[in-house]
Amino acid sequence: MSQPSVTSGINVAFDKFLRTAIEKNSSELLNSVLSFIRRVCRDSIQYRKLNHFNDYIYFPTRIYLLLHSKQRANSIAEVKFSKGYIEILSLHLKEVIWFDINIFGKNARDIADKSLINQFYRSAFQSFSNFLYTVISLNDWQTFNNALVDYNGLSEGVFDNNYQINYELKRLKQEANFDSNNKAVKRLQLEVDTNNKYQEYKRQVLSGIKYWLIFLYSENVINSETLEKTLVETGEGYTSIEDDSKDILKMRSDFSTAFDWGSWDHIQRESGKVYFPPMVSDWTTLGFLISRLRERKLAFIVDELSPAELNDVPFLYDKLASLKQIVLRTYERWIGIVHVESQEELQDLINKFILQVGQAKRRNVGHRETTIASADLSDRLIAEFQQKMVRSWQKEIRIRQLFKHFENFEDVSNEEIKLKFVGQRNFFEKAKMLFIEGEFHSEIYGLEQLGGQIGRNEDDLFFHIVKNSAPEKITAKSMSKLLEDGLSKLRSAGRSPNAIFMEPEYGYKDDELLNHPLFSTRPIISESNGVTLPSIGSFDGVTIFWSFSRSLKNHALIAEFESAFQMLFKSNDERFDHELQVLVEPISKELAAEKLRNEPMKWRTTDEGIELSEDESMTIIETSVIIEIGTLLDFRVIDKSKFVFGDIASPIAD
Amino acid sequence: MQVWQLSSKKSLRKSILETLKEDQPDLYISKKPNILKNFISYLSDKRHWWTIPPLVIGIYIALTLINIPFFAVVSIDEKIADTLIDQRTSNVATIISMTLAVIGLLLGNLAIKEPITYNLLFIRSRVHLIVTYTLSTILCLILTSTLRNSTPVGYEYLYPQAVLAGTYMVISILFFIGYLFRTVMLFSNSHELQQVLKDEFFSEAKKNIRLHLLNKLSKQRYIDLMRRMEYTEASFWSGLGGVIIENEDDNVDLFKDDKLIYDINLIDLEARLKKCDPAISKEYLALGINEVSGSHTSYISINVSGSCVDIKFNKIKLEHYLVRKSADQLLSPSFEFAKYFEGKLEEYAEQGKIKKANEVLALFGDIYELEMKHT
């Protein structure tokens, strides 16, 4: 439970006093008001009490709103009274910044105290920003002009003039080889940043006002003459491109805490209804674009910014690209403001500017890609990837399960037999991020299908071999007929068939088979070593297995499985120590160079149409990775008389 | 276990008040405690009027019985004593009636006729004390004159002594009345009175700041201790879970248990905390002196996992380390004089009294400065 402060009542009483003073048109009383405010502000800076400062520093807006309502009064004396005081409000505010904060801030020596003084600056600038915004809302252009003159009269903050320290910082940076984690550099950088806050606030407030005016024009709240005049008054062209570029990124991302911009609105909203004021990131970007074009500052320089600060650049680029469409559609409204003759000229300017932002975006991405390209592959992530692959592969192996069940496989490690490689070795573009640790690590979804694919390919290989071994073929009208024929054929030859293979579709589509008296949904062999075998059921005491293999399309294989086929594998191959081998390899320089040689167009330009240097293209290529995944095995037909391969004359409809 | 009082070594309240006195002496009006002044102030309080008559009678009897050689210079025989006692009684009655009439006249001419100034006048002039003193003296004299012929045999010599003592007391009344007149005169001068009001305003503000600092600094010390012992402040949300801050029974009336936290025994608390199992999760609720809250019933340090550590042992009942009083004994800041001046400011503005308004504003500026300097 907090108790009321000693001065909380005074604040309320003072507000009443202020209102009375204005009601009574008493300039003496109003002078007392102003000198009291100034005193409290001064004391609060001296004793570093920001909360008291914030209670009073918004006085220009507070007094202005009271005085402005008097402007419509009939009495000339009243109008004169209010005009006279409105004129000096911004001057008082300027003096708070210019004299009070500067004087009492002078004795600040350490960074903490300087930051505190900066907060006073910030509040004062926010007050100025609010005042200008209020004046604009009331279309009081004379006061606006007046206030801007005062505002532009503010030149230096108390911590300005740091040529020495800036020079020192540059020197240190060079000594530290531009290592951003160097302690001395960090410390000095912090100091420089603290010292620069005053100029930063001053610049941002003015940019905010400028962008807001442009936004008001785009919303038809003010006309082009007013915009032209006010933009000139805000003093265009004094800010550097670096600063402006930095500011817009800040404005777009940090808007909630900035100079109260989030609450700015140009429409009188109905009370009781939910509404959202204009998005800060939207109108600042529009204002930024137009003022860049207008001042012909078409560069976008963000060299000094850290990668974190550049995070917003891609979004800025996208926003600018969409604004470009809007501006071009309503080009008649803008050619006057931007000082161009035609739509083409406007388009030309915008394109030039956006290209510059695109290059900055490229640089942002470039940082990310350099990091990825130079990072080492993580063994942990590779192992994780391998396990994932093995899991999905195991779900799809069917034939291999059967060979295991019937135990008709042979280890040919010591024989000079070349086995077949079932799998793939692929160049995966931009996939290296999957295998590195750190902030740029990212998942790629759907890759685990690769493992499953290998399982299916094994099936395929098997049926391909069987099909091409010139087996004994029979043809029948339907599947059930085929099975009857095939089984009786094998049985009459003294064989005991124990496996039928067909497509899974027959298990639910072929009514003739399903209703056949010999068909049962219960397989004879349903599982092996705890693994369920892929089965539809059984026919005349023989289990029906299914496989997705394309070679089985409208075919069926009936066999005495263990004596008809054999699977071969090697257990001692140095690369294939597992059943499924998963290898992840980075891109070597040679390979990258080769890629670039083969497809220069693909690698030398980005999606934004920006051309890259050879090194940059190489970096992009190096963010890729090679993934090799597969099994090494072969199948062999031992006895052709022990199986039949059937064709179906009239296949079931798909 | 309820703690009523802490020894000055263990009392956080005393320790903070001492540091305050040392570090910010200008928050205090006088540096040394004045026992006599405090005693007179105590007697001057309206609520303590009943202490005065017995005290006066006691003094009277003492003066009578103890034959002080200095006073005994005057020798009075029984006859003169008879005359004197009657005269003194009527003298005092006359003085009283005259005094009251004059005071009435002066009060009518008070420079600033506000309830607050009357109030202040009564306190400053100690009128309650003086009137009660005078009446008690009259009582003594009347009793003496009535009992003049009933002096017990063998003690007749006491009678002249009693008359003499009464005379001296009557003389002392003159000085008191002089003081009374002086004060009342002061209050008829508007400039002087304004100064008195300002002084009072300042001492009121100083008192409020002292209260504020007592709460703030004690909370700070409490939090410092907790941080030093590596405790973290329980957030509202973690409290909601009911795990970290627990009450004895689950259905707690939130405000029923609210108590004034009068003092904290940080020394014993620290010793207890040091005994705690270091592995458990540690959280606390912040609290300070002169605060009404329910957090005094809570515990600090409860382990979250709850399974392996004996919760009972690690529950520290905070109330063992607090001096609690009922919530109505909270010392709240007073704004009597602040309100007076706030009202005045508005009034001066309405009447266009610029000079006076500026004076008040300057005063407010000083109060702001006082607050900024000390908080």
Side-chain angles (χ1 to χ4, degrees), chain A residues 7 24 32 39 49 52 56, chain B residues 350 358 366 368 371 375:
Chain A
T7 47
K24 292 180 80 84
S32 308
R39 176 177 172 188
K49 297 286 183 243
H52 287 118
Y56 283 93
Chain B
E350 286 292 343
N358 278 344
D366 292 341
Y368 259 110
E371 190 187 37
T375 54

Side-chain angles (χ1 to χ4, degrees), chain A residues 1 3-7 9-10 13-14 16-17 20 24 28-29 32 36 39-40 43-44 47 49 52 56, chain B residues 205 208-209 290 331 335 342 345-346 349-350 354 357-358 361-362 364-369 371-373 375:
Chain A
M1 194 180 73
Q3 288 166 343
S5 112
V6 179
T7 47
I10 296 181
F14 178 73
K16 276 189 200 155
F17 180 68
T20 315
K24 292 180 80 84
E28 288 102 333
L29 287 178
S32 308
F36 178 72
R39 176 177 172 188
V40 175
D43 287 347
S44 59
Y47 294 109
K49 297 286 183 243
H52 287 118
Y56 283 93
Chain B
N208 291 346
I209 291 175
N290 199 37
L331 294 174
F335 291 101
E342 284 158 18
L345 181 67
E346 205 183 334
E350 286 292 343
I354 289 131
N358 278 344
L361 281 180
F364 283 173
D366 292 341
I367 293 287
Y368 259 110
E369 200 176 339
E371 190 187 37
M372 290 177 198
K373 212 165 152 185
T375 54

Side-chain angles (χ1 to χ4, degrees), chain A residues 537-580:
Chain A
S538 62
F539 191 89
D540 198 6
V542 181
T543 312
I544 307 174
F545 299 102
W546 57 266
S547 168
F548 284 122
S549 169
R550 282 185 306 276
S551 303
L552 266 185
K553 181 93 185 151
N554 297 321
H555 293 295
L557 173 67
I558 305 158
E560 190 186 307
F561 193 76
E562 70 275 24
S563 49
F565 313 110
Q566 194 177 34
M567 183 172 86
L568 306 177
F569 74 101
K570 285 189 177 180
S571 62
N572 66 342
D573 192 290
E574 55 185 20
R575 293 179 66 200
F576 287 79
D577 52 343
H578 309 285
E579 289 180 307
L580 179 76

Side-chain angles (χ1 to χ4, degrees), chain A residues 116-128:
Chain A
L116 193 55
I117 288 294
N118 278 336
Q119 292 191 28
F120 283 94
Y121 273 134
R122 194 198 156 81
S123 289
F125 275 113
Q126 178 154 343
S127 171
F128 229 127

